[in-house]
Amino acid sequence: MTQFKAFIKKEFYHIMRDRKTLLVLIGMPIVQIILFGFALTNEVKNTVLCVADLAKDDMSQALVAEVNASKYFDVKYTIDNVEEADRMLRSGKARMVLVIPKGISYDLRHGHVATLQLITDGTNPNMATTINTYLTSIVRDFRTHHFGKLELPMTIVTIPRMLYNPQLKGEYTFVPGVIAMVLMIICVLMTSVSIVKEKELGNMEMLLVSPTHPLVVILSKAVPYFILSLLLVTIILLMSRFVLHIPIRGNIFLLYGVSGLFIIAALALGLVISTFTNSQQVAMLISLMGMMLPTIMFGGFMFPIENMPLPMQVISNIVPAKWFYYAINDIMIKGLGIEAVLREILILAGFAILFIFISLRKFNLRLA
Amino acid sequence: MISVNQISKAYGAKKEIPALTSVDFEVSKGELFGLIGPDGSGKTTLFRILTTLILADSGTAAVAGFDVEKDMFKIRNIVGYMPGRFSLYQDLSVRENLEFYATIFNTTIEKNYHLIKDIYVQIEPFANRRAGALSGGMKQKLALCCALIHKPEVLFLDEPTTGVDVVSRKEFWEMLKRLKSEGITILVSTPYMDEAELCDRIALIDKGRILEVATPAALVNTMDSPVWAISTGKVYAAMQLLSSFEGIGEVYPFGESLHAVVDAGFKDTAGLKLRLQKAGIADAEVAIISPTIEDVFMHKMKQAPHA
Amino acid sequence: MMTHKFSIVTDKLTKRFGDFTAVDAISFKVEEGEIFGFLGANGAGKTTAMRMLTGLSLPSSGKAVVAGYDVGTDTEQVKKSIGYMSQKFSLYQDLTVGENIEFYGGIYGLHGRQLRGEADAMLMRLNLTDERRTLVNALPLGWKQKLAFSIAIIHKPKIVFLDEPTGGVDPVTRRQFWTMIYEAAESGLTIFVTTHYMDEAEYCNRIAIMVDARIEAMGQPAALKKQFDTHSMDDVFYRLARKAARTEM
């Protein structure tokens, strides 16, 4: 036990003395949170809107005013005939044209179905869907405001309702994503590189020829990075709660529990990599290209997996980060309990056991 | 204390690169045993086999009676090892390195301080300095302290003096002598032939084969051809000339003179001097000398069957 | 001063790093065709001195003229007139013998027929013609060193600097290497060599021993031994180096 402590102490010295790496490790999630939160948000603001107000009555003007008042839209152009809409979109002046037909006031007041036409620039389908939804929800609010809940059958119009994240805030989905990415980097990359470094510098030779069991050498590498990982999870959660004002809905202990499980799986993966190579460079390449890329591609937080072709969807199942992301999303954003993430927990535990098994099998008591 | 029987080891996917071929020798308790040979002769491979780091392809070896394959952990408990590649943590201080190694060997600096005292006092002024900022000689001393801290029964030192200057090398060998007097068995390897004389016994190794095992004194007696020293200012010309003479084998520069290995029957030093003078080497002096270990090594190397 | 007869002339050559003086006003001359040994303990300032002479580092004060060019002002000319090889100077292990020769020849401006002719002659001399397409990696260490030396002088420099060229090599190969050096010196090449092996110091025409940034002794090996009243060069070096205040920095 004293040996184990000595190892962990030494490991912390290594981490604390390599100031630059430590700074990058702590700085990276902070910068990512800020970047995603403020700059790279998926949310659409101030979309330029063109209105073809064919009705030109008090009701239509009130609607246009309401749309313009929202932070999502900026009514910059008005046209008088629908033919011009195409020109507005084609030239890129406007992203969306709202056509208000004649007689809209009459239709609404008399309980008829009123039809608005939305012509949207579909070159960026994601964005098109988003702004369509925004506008639709503004129109719905407008109607509710002026006429109360409509219960007449002929006026029922299905409008998609965004659950859990009614404003479609982009920040929500990336926070679990950043956590997954940071943990992959620290646990897989740092662990494998630091073990391989011992081999490369020849320290491993001396450690092996000591009474310490070689497993102690390896396990002691995992402890400091486990602690560092939990610290960074905490930093990210605090940042998202207090800087981005994203509430943590679910149980905090469950959140940490799942994170801990993922960290163990990732550390074990780092150990597996370290048993396969003797060079820091190779370890770094495998960790970055082999692990980080799939995490970003198939983690689910950058590119929605549902939109991928089937083979890619199948592949995504072997990426631990995907399951972690699902679980954290369920807990943190949806506020669900352990029953909802049981499947993810079991899968992550499976990964952890598998990686630990492989690394133990591959682990060498000797040099070669 | 150490016994090596018919150890062979080869590397490569098809074991096509031989590293050691049927190596045999014994080291007694308390002996300072030198393994002398150039880079790539198999010294490090042999050390790694004896310290249980790698397995031999065939043959057996035992350290303190423990088999290197079966009793791996027992051996690891009683040996000290200083690998050829520098093995201290550059970002830890001198003191931290030493404490770390003491702890993993289940001991403390205080417990065996008397063993490392002579060496440690020299590096103690730098106790708080990071190991990476030490000079080569200091690093070697610290590494030796770390390998010694648990009072091993057998000490393996793989080229401890390579790249270290003469002064540090001399000090290092003095330390080894003191450790030997503590009863520690030491197996040390070196590419420097002059260090061979400081060992109790030596094994000459080249291309994975042991050429000879003997005491330094006995070793020079195994030389079957006499060695003559020829001194002159015109080294290169004399060398060319001597190589063309009959009855003279190898000619090579050796320190301040040239050494020539001559046929056993060849006795006439004065005659050789005369021939050299006639050929224009006016200042030539010829003398019969007793061969050094380096002479022997070179001679044996040339005689050895090439793998 | 007749610089043309001397390959290297230094006058109070000094290098300071902040408060630390790595090389302290060293002055010496090396004649053309001479084998000059440069010795010193670790940290004595050997490497720094060599770096200044090869134009890799500018002197803080003092002067050095190498092959007729001032290292402080004509650095580019100096680099063109010298060859350099160190133990670490590596041929590219993953290139063939021929490719290495072509590459280094190219660096020194050889090309076309001239480069081919030079390469063929070198391979012939080294007995390596059959190994032209062999990866350097697969050559024995001794051959690598001979090849490295030949490549270091492929552009026919006036001086070649050898930085511990024989470390870790077996005694036979070491002798063969020195035979090459003698041969090159016979043809007028100046050899400036550092080594850890004291017996090798004796192969030099003259040696300089650096202690604590200064040259403490210089002369023919035999003369130095006489001066210190001893029979071994080892002893000379040991006595000088032991006085060093700062071998361990």
Side-chain angles (χ1 to χ4, degrees):
Chain A
M1 203 56 208
T2 39
Q3 290 173 338
F4 195 55
K5 266 191 220 150
F7 268 106
I8 289 173
K9 198 166 124 193
K10 172 192 78 96
E11 232 35 72
F12 270 112
Y13 282 146
H14 288 322
I15 295 174
M16 299 309 286
R17 291 198 180 153
D18 190 355
R19 286 286 157 84
K20 282 179 202 151
T21 308
L22 189 63
L23 206 70
V24 171
L25 286 184
I26 294 180
M28 179 181 58
I30 294 177
V31 170
Q32 275 182 344
I33 289 283
I34 291 173
L35 273 182
F36 280 111
F38 293 109
L40 301 176
T41 171
N42 293 325
E43 199 188 331
V44 186
K45 281 179 190 154
N46 295 326
T47 304
V48 175
L49 187 72
C50 174
V51 177
D53 184 0
L54 307 177
K56 289 206 175 73
D57 52 25
D58 56 330
M59 195 57 74
S60 75
Q61 272 159 14
L63 177 61
V64 171
E66 183 130 351
V67 170
N68 200 17
S70 95
K71 65 174 175 172
Y72 302 113
F73 296 100
D74 182 9
V75 180
K76 259 203 175 149
Y77 306 98
T78 44
I79 47 176
D80 292 328
N81 50 55
V82 184
E83 287 72 38
E84 257 185 281
D86 188 47
R87 197 176 46 80
M88 293 306 293
L89 291 174
R90 212 173 264 283
S91 64
K93 280 184 181 158
R95 284 207 167 271
M96 186 187 234
V97 179
L98 168 66
V99 185
I100 307 176
K102 274 186 184 146
I104 185 164
S105 308
Y106 178 86
D107 283 345
L108 284 171
R109 287 198 176 106
H110 293 88
H112 293 261
V113 175
T115 316
L116 294 174
Q117 189 185 13
L118 292 179
I119 312 171
T120 315
D121 176 356
T123 42
N124 183 340
N126 276 343
M127 191 190 229
T129 318
T130 310
I131 53 181
N132 262 339
T133 319
Y134 284 173
L135 197 77
T136 316
S137 90
I138 292 173
V139 171
R140 189 193 60 212
D141 288 349
F142 174 80
R143 194 181 44 194
T144 315
H145 182 238
H146 285 266
F147 305 101
K149 290 255 187 233
L150 291 175
E151 274 136 26
L152 294 169
M154 54 284 237
T155 56
I156 290 176
V157 179
T158 41
I159 293 171
R161 200 158 75 88
M162 302 309 277
L163 282 172
Y164 314 118
N165 183 4
Q167 297 109 332
L168 276 177
K169 271 193 157 184
E171 292 96 337
Y172 279 32
T173 54
F174 77 80
V175 171
V178 170
I179 296 179
M181 234 152 65
V182 167
L183 292 185
M184 280 303 273
I185 288 184
I186 293 183
C187 301
V188 180
L189 183 92
M190 297 303 292
T191 315
S192 62
V193 166
S194 91
I195 295 175
V196 173
K197 192 174 169 188
E198 301 251 359
K199 292 196 204 173
E200 211 174 78
L201 295 180
N203 290 313
M204 198 55 113
E205 265 179 74
M206 197 140 163
L207 296 181
L208 285 179
V209 186
S210 80
T212 316
H213 195 279
L215 270 181
V216 173
V217 181
I218 303 298
L219 286 182
S220 66
K221 288 275 176 194
V223 174
Y225 289 111
F226 186 86
I227 295 171
L228 190 65
S229 300
L230 286 180
L231 183 76
L232 284 174
V233 170
T234 309
I235 292 179
I236 295 172
L237 290 179
L238 286 176
M239 293 257 321
S240 66
R241 174 69 190 82
F242 294 104
V243 180
L244 300 178
H245 307 292
I246 301 171
I248 297 166
R249 293 215 167 84
N251 184 320
I252 193 86
F253 296 104
L254 185 59
L255 192 61
Y256 271 96
V258 173
S259 300
L261 190 59
F262 179 66
I263 292 170
I264 291 171
L267 284 171
L269 188 57
L271 296 189
V272 171
I273 293 175
S274 75
T275 58
F276 278 99
T277 169
N278 287 325
S279 115
Q280 290 187 63
Q281 259 181 22
V282 176
M284 207 176 286
L285 264 179
I286 296 179
S287 309
L288 278 179
M289 303 306 291
M291 304 300 148
M292 287 305 295
L293 219 59
T295 298
I296 294 171
M297 292 283 297
F298 298 118
F301 43 91
M302 281 285 193
F303 312 103
I305 291 169
E306 299 75 37
N307 295 356
M308 290 180 182
L310 189 66
M312 301 279 252
Q313 292 196 24
V314 173
I315 292 174
S316 74
N317 287 332
I318 59 164
V319 177
K322 172 184 149 175
W323 304 104
F324 175 67
Y325 171 72
Y326 280 0
I328 293 297
N329 216 19
D330 283 354
I331 300 167
M332 193 178 151
I333 311 294
K334 299 188 191 172
L336 301 178
I338 189 160
E339 330 74 56
V341 292
L342 215 50
R343 184 181 65 151
E344 282 79 8
I345 290 179
L346 285 176
I347 291 171
L348 284 176
F351 274 121
I353 292 167
L354 177 73
F355 293 145
I356 291 173
F357 179 73
I358 297 176
S359 61
L360 286 181
R361 281 296 294 273
K362 292 291 297 178
F363 185 74
N364 214 324
L365 294 177
R366 304 176 198 270
L367 270 184
Chain B
M1 203 61 182
I2 303 172
S3 76
V4 181
N5 302 305
Q6 292 294 310
I7 286 281
S8 294
K9 171 86 186 170
Y11 294 113
K14 294 186 215 92
K15 298 277 177 198
E16 72 277 16
I17 310 157
L20 292 174
T21 314
S22 305
V23 169
D24 261 317
F25 66 88
E26 302 269 333
V27 180
S28 330
K29 190 167 167 46
E31 203 172 14
L32 176 53
F33 192 91
L35 200 57
I36 319 284
D39 276 11
S41 55
K43 296 184 304 253
T44 300
T45 302
L46 186 54
F47 271 99
R48 288 184 173 168
I49 289 173
L50 291 176
T51 50
T52 74
L53 284 172
I54 55 176
L55 288 175
D57 295 337
S58 63
T60 56
V63 175
F66 298 120
D67 185 88
V68 289
E69 189 177 348
K70 291 198 283 284
D71 304 321
M72 173 167 79
F73 290 107
K74 282 180 186 148
I75 291 179
R76 290 182 183 188
N77 267 309
I78 55 159
V79 301
Y81 176 44
M82 189 170 147
R85 280 185 300 175
F86 181 60
S87 275
L88 297 167
Y89 294 100
Q90 312 278 323
D91 55 346
L92 261 54
S93 73
V94 168
R95 179 98 199 159
E96 284 160 358
N97 263 295
L98 198 55
E99 261 169 9
F100 172 69
Y101 280 105
T103 315
I104 66 166
F105 280 102
N106 284 324
T107 182
T108 58
I109 299 179
E110 291 69 33
K111 223 168 175 178
N112 289 317
Y113 187 70
H114 66 280
L115 260 181
I116 60 161
K117 189 174 162 239
D118 292 331
I119 315 163
Y120 191 62
V121 287
Q122 296 179 49
I123 41 176
E124 200 154 25
F126 315 107
N128 292 320
R129 186 178 289 192
R130 304 256 167 105
L134 293 176
S135 72
M138 280 295 172
K139 281 181 188 171
Q140 296 305 83
K141 283 171 195 162
L142 176 57
L144 183 63
C145 284
C146 292
L148 269 176
I149 192 68
H150 60 296
K151 196 173 193 322
E153 287 175 43
V154 187
L155 189 56
F156 292 95
L157 306 170
D158 191 7
E159 298 209 7
T161 55
T162 296
V164 178
D165 66 70
V166 184
V167 180
S168 300
R169 273 169 58 193
K170 276 222 161 112
E171 288 172 356
F172 200 86
W173 278 92
E174 314 256 295
M175 290 173 216
L176 293 192
K177 270 188 224 158
R178 275 196 299 273
L179 293 175
K180 182 178 127 62
S181 67
E182 295 265 352
I184 298 176
T185 308
I186 303 171
L187 182 65
V188 58
S189 73
T190 177
Y192 299 98
M193 300 286 154
D194 51 344
E195 292 181 346
E197 327 233 349
L198 304 166
C199 302
D200 295 331
R201 279 195 309 142
I202 49 180
L204 299 184
I205 183 169
D206 186 49
K207 298 191 182 71
R209 290 168 193 275
I210 300 280
L211 302 178
E212 198 74 56
V213 180
T215 63
L219 192 71
V220 294
N221 289 331
T222 63
M223 185 86 178
D224 44 16
S225 313
V227 178
W228 290 6
I230 298 102
S231 52
T232 168
K234 298 178 180 173
V235 182
Y236 187 63
M239 239 167 81
Q240 301 285 68
L241 211 55
L242 284 163
S243 315
S244 70
F245 287 176
E246 199 136 318
I248 292 183
E250 304 110 52
V251 181
Y252 45 86
F254 199 103
E256 54 188 336
S257 53
L258 287 170
H259 281 190
V261 181
V262 302
D263 286 357
F266 209 61
K267 295 232 157 56
D268 189 8
T269 51
L272 184 66
K273 183 177 167 181
L274 212 63
R275 279 179 78 183
L276 283 170
Q277 283 172 343
K278 272 187 190 155
I281 315 284
D283 61 345
E285 291 293 339
V286 183
I288 300 175
I289 55 159
S290 57
T292 65
I293 286 168
E294 194 157 353
D295 290 308
V296 178
F297 187 86
M298 283 193 277
H299 196 62
K300 303 253 178 218
M301 242 181 98
K302 291 211 165 143
Q303 285 178 337
H306 286 271
Chain C
M1 193 187 296
M2 304 204 348
T3 42
H4 66 273
K5 261 198 72 196
F6 293 104
S7 286
I8 304 173
V9 179
T10 74
D11 184 27
K12 299 201 178 70
L13 189 64
T14 303
K15 182 78 187 184
R16 278 183 290 268
F17 299 105
D19 301 338
F20 178 74
T21 308
V23 173
D24 190 4
I26 58 171
S27 304
F28 63 90
K29 293 175 186 176
V30 180
E31 276 177 48
E32 271 175 26
E34 193 174 16
I35 302 176
F36 189 81
F38 204 58
L39 281 62
N42 299 338
K46 258 185 322 180
T47 311
T48 313
M50 190 124 150
R51 286 208 177 126
M52 284 191 281
L53 294 175
T54 50
L56 293 178
S57 153
L58 287 176
S60 306
S61 68
K63 198 175 144 159
V65 176
V66 173
Y69 300 105
D70 190 314
V71 295
T73 54
D74 290 331
T75 316
E76 288 316 306
Q77 286 301 324
V78 168
K79 286 186 184 171
K80 277 183 195 157
S81 334
I82 62 169
Y84 177 78
M85 173 198 165
S86 81
Q87 192 189 343
K88 281 153 243 148
F89 157 80
S90 29
L91 302 169
Y92 290 96
Q93 305 283 325
D94 52 352
L95 295 188
T96 65
V97 171
E99 286 160 353
N100 266 291
I101 299 177
E102 274 164 42
F103 172 72
Y104 282 105
I107 283 183
Y108 284 106
L110 299 184
H111 53 83
R113 194 182 300 162
Q114 195 193 2
L115 178 59
R116 275 199 300 279
E118 205 46 59
D120 289 343
M122 182 193 297
L123 290 170
M124 197 86 95
R125 235 184 4 256
L126 293 171
N127 238 333
L128 280 177
T129 310
D130 292 341
E131 309 290 340
R132 186 174 207 136
R133 272 175 255 294
T134 309
L135 288 182
V136 163
N137 206 3
L139 290 182
L141 185 63
W143 290 15
K144 278 188 210 168
Q145 274 175 317
K146 282 183 234 170
L147 182 62
F149 179 72
S150 300
I151 286 178
I153 57 173
I154 193 171
H155 57 298
K156 306 212 177 339
K158 300 261 172 40
I159 310 166
V160 63
F161 288 86
L162 307 175
D163 192 5
E164 293 184 22
T166 56
V169 187
D170 69 76
V172 173
T173 312
R174 225 142 54 82
R175 266 32 180 245
Q176 289 169 350
F177 191 77
W178 272 93
T179 310
M180 274 189 86
I181 293 181
Y182 277 128
E183 232 170 62
E186 277 303 289
S187 69
L189 181 71
T190 307
I191 316 274
F192 186 96
V193 57
T194 68
T195 176
H196 268 319
Y197 295 95
M198 283 307 130
D199 57 329
E200 288 193 346
E202 309 233 27
Y203 307 160
C204 303
N205 301 123
R206 278 194 311 140
I207 56 171
I209 299 177
M210 273 192 91
V211 180
D212 282 359
R214 296 163 184 275
I215 291 182
E216 285 293 323
M218 183 158 51
Q220 294 177 341
L224 282 178
K225 280 187 282 187
K226 211 166 172 187
Q227 184 190 335
F228 284 83
D229 193 26
T230 170
H231 291 293
S232 88
M233 207 59 228
D234 233 53
D235 213 30
V236 174
F237 185 82
Y238 186 60
R239 281 196 220 172
L240 281 169
R242 204 179 34 184
K243 294 193 299 195
R246 62 155 217 241
T247 36
E248 309 296 358
M249 294 179 296

